[in-house]
Amino acid sequence: MAKIIDPCTLVLFGASGNLSRVKLMPGLFRLDAAGRLPNHMAILSVGRGELSRETWHADIKTMLDAKFKNGYDKAVFERFIARNHYHANPPTDADAFNKMKVLLSDEKVFPQNLAYFLSVRPTDFAPIVEQLSEVGLLDEREYWRRVLIEKPFGTDLPSAQALQASITKHLKESQIYRIDHYLGKSALQNIMLTRFANTMFEPIWNNQYIDHVQITNNEILGVGDRTEFYNNTGALRDMVQSHLLQTLALVAMEKPKDLSPDSIRAEKIKLLQSIKPIPVAELHRHAFRAQYEAGRVCVGDGHGENVRGYLEELAKEGVTGSVTETYAALKLFIDNPRWKGVPFYVRTAKRMHEGNTAISIRFKKAPMQLNNEQHQNWLTLNIQPRECIKMEIESKIPGLDIATRTLSIDGPQRQQGDESIDSYESLLLNLMEGDPSLYLHISEVEAQWRLIDPIVKAWAEDQSPVHQYKAGNRDPEASSVIFDAKDQFWRYSIELGGDKQ
Ligand code: BG6
């Protein structure tokens, strides 16, 4: 059921940036079209350059035209565009935030509940919060004031804590919305519901029945035009630190006592804090990194395309000798009775043979083994591109003999006519509703950095050449060094039979 949203103003910093163009403006437009924005709701875009409101409206139209190639409703467009305003906030203008305050004080145009979306460089988060506070725009005495911070929240534990210390001079924890767009994915939200809204999973969701869990994000895309950012970040920090550890938390956490944001976050925090740190001396058996080299990847229409290797892409920008990983795989253990001894393999890679995000759970050996074959059931929760749940079970081949084959029961989560909602749409709505359940608490962020930091540090210190894998291929063979047992192997997309190396 739709929650009631107070009249509010969304103040969008970095409004002309890529995220805003591709996700935020189109997302807000779709929310408007779906009747989910309150009647009295305004959007104030804040950018560095001076622009007239008309020019900004024309730019928004360009963003919507690019996103909705099949057109959109004219009446919704008129309503949406009327909500949109622009304010220039050049860094050279010492009075810019005061001017913004004066503009926002027009209550007829701008409802006084204010949600700030900081889609800006991470180094700008703290200064913006400080300046908002200085001019009184974070004061909650009469109206609510919330600040959404895009990822990354710090680049390691100390920087995350420093950011936290500087923004909490001006904000309470309840005012801070730290985004991880993975939590806005409907298929990720479904993990918790699948586990707890069914009777059959809970009894087997533990070390007595589960052999291991694989949490995978593979992409066909390379680092694109983000070479500088990526080379300073790497796959561990870019994908594992938040997106994949959050996914792991949802798979492994205990049942929250209710569905309130506090109860859900409390269980996720407990779980993240109970992941055992990887001892640096054991790193080679728990973590593997690699970089893609030139190869051929699959493009949309099924054709191949030759692509450069990561080091070649960097060389074009004048960077040499990078040991930054574009492939990262970790083996993690959770220190609690439910999961004792169960490896969680978490992996992410760019330039793989397929793009797929999934949780694959392998169960222990079946009590009855036929024909000397070791059968093990798999359960896959596929997140993207297909949202589905797939279960593989052994079943008799009809006929005179006693023999089995693997039957795949495939339940698409998305059915014809279902709404397709981008993660940013649901997260924007939650921000305005004041529902932080899909946002990260600082304790989650800290637990995630605590786990990742020692690995990032050890990898940065080890300057020996990094293992190379051919773009468009499957996991490098050498990555299997982290498996606990010889019969473990990487699972790929949900098709049967296509998974063993
Ligand atoms: C971003 C990373 O956070 O997530 C990107 O910076 C990555 O490198 C992206 O490609 C993946 O998101 P999604 O939603 O496409 O799986």
Side-chain angles (χ1 to χ4, degrees):
M1 217 180 53
K3 293 187 195 149
I4 297 186
I5 300 180
D6 300 324
C8 60
T9 300
L10 180 70
V11 183
L12 193 51
F13 284 85
S16 53
N18 197 44
L19 182 71
S20 163
R21 308 188 78 81
V22 178
K23 298 278 188 184
L24 306 182
M25 277 297 171
L28 287 162
F29 177 81
R30 277 174 43 107
L31 287 173
D32 202 355
R36 301 300 286 264
L37 298 184
N39 287 338
H40 198 24
M41 186 264 178
I43 302 167
L44 178 65
S45 292
V46 180
R48 288 165 174 247
E50 294 284 352
L51 291 181
S52 70
R53 192 169 172 210
E54 290 64 40
T55 311
W56 181 237
H57 283 182
D59 200 11
I60 294 177
K61 186 169 182 314
T62 322
M63 301 176 202
L64 301 181
D65 289 347
K67 186 78 178 188
F68 307 114
K69 296 259 168 25
N70 295 331
Y72 41 80
D73 190 297
K74 207 162 173 305
V76 177
F77 175 74
E78 297 303 334
R79 185 172 72 216
F80 182 69
I81 216 73
R83 295 180 188 274
N84 275 278
H85 304 262
Y86 184 85
H87 173 67
N89 210 6
T92 44
D93 183 356
D95 208 28
F97 280 79
N98 258 322
K99 289 180 186 155
M100 192 166 91
K101 183 183 180 179
V102 172
L103 177 72
L104 281 170
S105 66
D106 184 350
E107 288 190 34
K108 280 205 219 75
V109 179
F110 298 107
Q112 298 296 296
N113 293 306
L114 301 175
Y116 303 97
F117 194 125
L118 309 192
S119 176
V120 293
R121 285 179 310 193
T123 45
D124 290 339
F125 294 154
I128 291 179
V129 168
E130 193 180 329
Q131 291 174 87
L132 287 172
S133 169
E134 270 169 17
V135 298
L137 282 173
L138 294 178
D139 189 313
E140 276 205 313
R141 266 172 295 187
E142 270 193 85
Y143 300 97
W144 55 253
R145 305 281 153 90
R146 300 174 188 144
V147 177
L148 183 150
I149 297 189
E150 252 302 325
K151 105 171 196 189
F153 196 87
T155 51
D156 54 14
L157 182 62
S159 59
Q161 287 173 331
L163 175 58
Q164 173 71 359
S166 55
I167 63 175
T168 49
K169 283 188 206 138
H170 313 287
L171 293 165
K172 298 185 291 250
E173 177 66 25
S174 60
Q175 291 177 274
I176 309 171
Y177 286 67
R178 299 175 196 82
I179 206 167
D180 176 330
H181 79 274
Y182 262 52
L183 295 178
K185 291 183 193 280
S186 157
L188 225 75
Q189 293 157 21
N190 190 37
I191 298 172
M192 196 171 72
L193 298 179
T194 302
R195 288 187 56 197
F196 302 126
N198 294 293
T199 319
M200 60 193 281
F201 295 117
E202 178 58 18
I204 55 171
W205 214 256
N206 53 50
N207 59 2
Q208 203 185 333
Y209 294 99
I210 291 179
D211 175 74
H212 73 271
V213 178
Q214 295 185 18
I215 294 175
T216 304
N217 163 269
N218 283 337
E219 293 179 290
I220 293 176
L221 291 175
V223 301
D225 53 12
R226 298 193 304 161
T227 39
E228 190 188 339
F229 158 80
Y230 199 87
N231 203 39
N232 291 325
T233 305
L236 254 193
R237 282 197 276 209
D238 188 40
M239 285 301 300
V240 177
Q241 187 270 342
S242 194
H243 302 331
L244 299 190
L245 288 180
Q246 281 291 318
T247 310
L248 188 156
L250 291 168
V251 172
M253 71 185 193
E254 297 299 316
K255 185 169 83 55
K257 76 174 188 306
D258 51 44
L259 287 180
S260 70
D262 284 351
S263 305
I264 297 174
R265 281 165 149 199
E267 288 307 334
K268 281 203 288 154
I269 293 170
K270 239 189 277 167
L271 191 282
L272 288 165
Q273 290 176 341
S274 60
I275 302 176
K276 285 197 207 169
I278 297 180
V280 172
E282 300 265 302
L283 202 57
H284 59 290
R285 292 200 301 110
H286 288 257
F288 181 84
R289 67 171 163 174
Q291 295 170 330
Y292 59 83
E293 59 185 15
R296 196 169 169 78
V297 294
C298 218
V299 283
D301 54 4
H303 288 94
E305 183 186 313
N306 292 332
V307 294
R308 286 200 178 86
Y310 178 61
L311 293 180
E312 292 164 77
E313 288 175 322
L314 286 179
K316 266 184 63 205
E317 308 290 323
V319 180
T320 53
S322 168
V323 293
T324 300
E325 73 289 352
T326 61
Y327 176 106
L330 301 183
K331 174 172 59 189
L332 298 170
F333 289 96
I334 297 166
D335 198 5
N336 68 19
R338 182 192 287 272
W339 295 115
K340 191 167 191 301
V342 177
F344 280 73
Y345 298 110
V346 175
R347 87 195 202 269
T348 183
K350 299 227 180 262
R351 288 278 188 241
M352 292 293 276
H353 69 294
E354 65 174 9
N356 199 52
T357 303
I359 298 133
S360 303
I361 300 172
R362 187 165 87 160
F363 290 86
K364 293 202 164 159
K365 290 188 180 106
M368 185 183 280
Q369 298 295 332
L370 298 172
N371 317 331
N372 289 332
E373 276 185 46
Q374 303 284 329
H375 295 302
Q376 283 170 280
N377 302 113
W378 284 90
L379 176 74
T380 298
L381 308 179
N382 216 73
I383 307 294
Q384 59 190 24
R386 255 190 87 205
E387 296 159 70
C388 70
I389 297 182
K390 200 184 82 161
M391 208 185 293
E392 288 173 10
I393 59 171
E394 286 309 297
S395 173
K396 183 179 180 308
I397 304 171
L400 295 174
D401 300 321
I402 295 290
T404 63
R405 64 183 165 206
T406 308
L407 193 74
S408 173
I409 302 172
D410 189 334
Q413 190 192 333
R414 180 161 299 281
Q415 300 184 358
Q416 218 178 3
D418 283 347
E419 279 180 297
S420 151
I421 294 174
D422 184 78
S423 6
Y424 277 95
E425 283 167 49
S426 55
L427 291 166
L428 279 163
L429 202 60
N430 289 164
L431 168 70
M432 291 182 271
E433 289 167 346
D435 178 352
S437 27
L438 299 180
Y439 287 88
L440 307 187
H441 189 273
I442 184 63
S443 306
E444 295 175 74
V445 176
E446 287 180 344
Q448 290 166 184
W449 282 128
R450 219 167 257 129
L451 207 66
I452 294 300
D453 276 358
I455 312 169
V456 172
K457 188 163 173 277
W459 278 356
E461 280 166 5
D462 179 358
Q463 290 286 318
S464 43
V466 173
H467 191 98
Q468 302 287 303
Y469 61 99
K470 226 182 181 53
N473 274 14
R474 297 179 172 212
D475 295 67
E477 193 94 36
S479 64
S480 55
V481 64
I482 68 168
F483 287 134
D484 248 17
K486 282 216 166 56
D487 68 346
Q488 293 175 345
F489 55 90
W490 292 122
R491 273 303 300 236
Y492 295 110
S493 64
I494 49 181
E495 302 313 321
L496 252 187
D499 8 284
K500 291 194 189 182
Q501 295 234 38

